[in-house]
Amino acid sequence: MRAYHISAPTLRPTITDIPRPIPARGEVAVRIAACGLNFADLLMIEGKYQDTPQAPFTLGMEVSGVVEALGPDTDGPAPGTRVAVFGGQGGLAEYGCFPLNRVVEMPDAMSFEAAAAFQIAYGTSHVALAHRAQMQPGETLLVLGAAGGVGLTAVEIGKLMGATVIACARGTDKLEAARTAGADHLIDAKTQDIRTIVKSLGGADVVYDPVGGEQWQAAFRACNPEARLLPIGFASGEVPQIPANHLLVKNISVLGVYWGGYLKFRPEVVTGSLTTLMGWYAQGRLKPHVSHVLPLARVAEGLELLRTRQSTGKVVITL
């Protein structure tokens, strides 16, 4: 089968032929239809992601497809069932074998492209806002990188949870995507001062930040007392340093969010969140935004869209 594969630690990934996997006990074999790209894929290529597998491995963290077979003594979805899976790796291939406890049946109305774009982006934002920040209706949420794969979902979920949402992104087109997702106020990070505008709007109670760098610093200085800051990632390439004395003075909390980490020590947080999110999707309350759908042959182009921040929402690769 074809796969976007890293064959050795010092080599770049290539599309190559590798053996089709056979499901072991507790695993489900899936014929993959689509795979969502994530900034973490770029970090894995550089060996900088916190959960980078040892080479050789196939890239691709979240997929959708159809169950082909179950491993020995494994009771799971019947062959032919449409499923979404967060595997952490192995998704940019024609077939994959994944642990049964990571397989979720898709709503009937959900497309494969939407399902491949759904789990990490919506899961990260829901766990961050509902579980970690425990955001309440009426609070003000500042979303940095608001037109990116996770940023748009934070805008959308923030509105569903009753927050006033301030969306920060770079350029008119990206801000329009955030407005369509439900943002109440817009800030152009290219031309406007984040701190000044957020303060003029009453300050931020919750900050959702997949960017880091200078934008984190500006948001930090625009926080209200008892605000909660959520570092989601560092797309700017700069991990911000946090002045603990400022946390103390304003009673601010910084709450790290690594969605995939919950699968290791509290998987019920992830499964409960996905149950809620799939229910919202089935009710028509969530609308995944996929800006690019590309074939496997163009996966490098899709990753470059993420690297250069040219995409809005998610980039999905079809198999």
Side-chain angles (χ1 to χ4, degrees), residues 10-309:
T10 58
L11 298 181
R12 305 292 291 180
T14 58
I15 297 174
T16 187
D17 288 319
I18 63 173
R20 180 171 161 180
I22 298 172
R25 183 175 183 177
E27 289 187 335
V28 177
V30 176
R31 175 165 48 85
I32 297 171
C35 179
L37 297 185
N38 292 277
F39 195 79
D41 292 311
L42 295 171
L43 297 178
M44 283 190 193
I45 292 171
E46 303 295 335
K48 296 177 180 178
Y49 189 58
Q50 58 263 30
D51 271 349
T52 300
Q54 282 197 323
F57 72 95
T58 296
L59 288 154
M61 301 179 72
E62 58 181 333
V63 305
S64 60
V66 176
V67 174
E68 281 278 304
L70 302 173
D73 302 317
T74 301
D75 184 16
T81 303
R82 301 166 74 249
V83 295
V85 187
F86 171 75
Q89 60 171 298
L92 287 167
E94 293 174 316
Y95 294 87
C97 293
F98 305 100
L100 175 63
N101 61 6
R102 297 193 178 196
V103 175
V104 179
E105 293 191 28
M106 294 166 46
D108 291 340
M110 183 177 267
S111 70
F112 287 123
E113 290 81 6
F118 192 85
Q119 292 181 90
I120 294 176
Y122 280 101
T124 295
S125 293
H126 186 252
V127 168
L129 298 177
H131 179 69
R132 295 293 281 147
Q134 298 185 30
M135 190 173 68
Q136 300 301 308
E139 290 193 304
T140 297
L141 167 66
L142 170 61
V143 180
L144 305 179
V150 293
L152 275 177
T153 65
V155 172
E156 200 173 357
I157 290 172
K159 284 301 295 181
L160 277 177
M161 292 179 65
T164 297
V165 180
I166 305 171
C168 180
R170 298 175 68 85
T172 303
D173 291 346
K174 292 188 175 184
L175 287 171
E176 178 59 24
R179 187 197 64 77
T180 301
D184 298 287
H185 306 283
L186 305 174
I187 300 174
D188 190 334
K190 280 184 177 180
T191 60
Q192 295 179 296
D193 184 86
I194 296 171
R195 180 193 180 196
T196 300
I197 295 175
V198 174
K199 293 276 281 184
S200 74
L201 293 170
D205 300 307
V206 177
V207 175
Y208 183 99
D209 180 20
V211 179
E214 293 180 356
Q215 291 191 34
W216 166 278
Q217 301 297 343
F220 186 95
R221 298 173 70 189
C223 280
N224 293 326
E226 293 194 325
R228 288 87 76 206
L229 292 98
L230 301 159
I232 307 297
F234 312 105
S236 67
E238 181 183 339
V239 178
Q241 302 304 300
I242 300 168
N245 58 323
H246 292 185
L247 297 179
L248 180 154
V249 170
K250 295 181 75 173
N251 291 289
I252 290 174
S253 299
V254 178
L255 305 167
V257 183
Y258 173 35
W259 180 78
Y262 278 103
L263 291 167
K264 299 177 181 178
F265 67 94
R266 286 193 64 191
E268 71 277 6
V269 172
V270 169
T271 54
S273 172
L274 285 175
T275 297
T276 297
L277 291 167
M278 288 293 188
W280 284 350
Y281 180 89
Q283 295 165 12
R285 302 177 73 188
L286 297 177
K287 295 178 174 59
H289 183 82
V290 178
S291 64
H292 295 81
V293 178
L294 303 170
L296 182 62
R298 296 172 64 187
V299 64
E301 179 184 335
L303 289 168
E304 189 62 18
L305 290 169
L306 296 187
R307 189 191 309 277
T308 57
R309 302 191 215 176

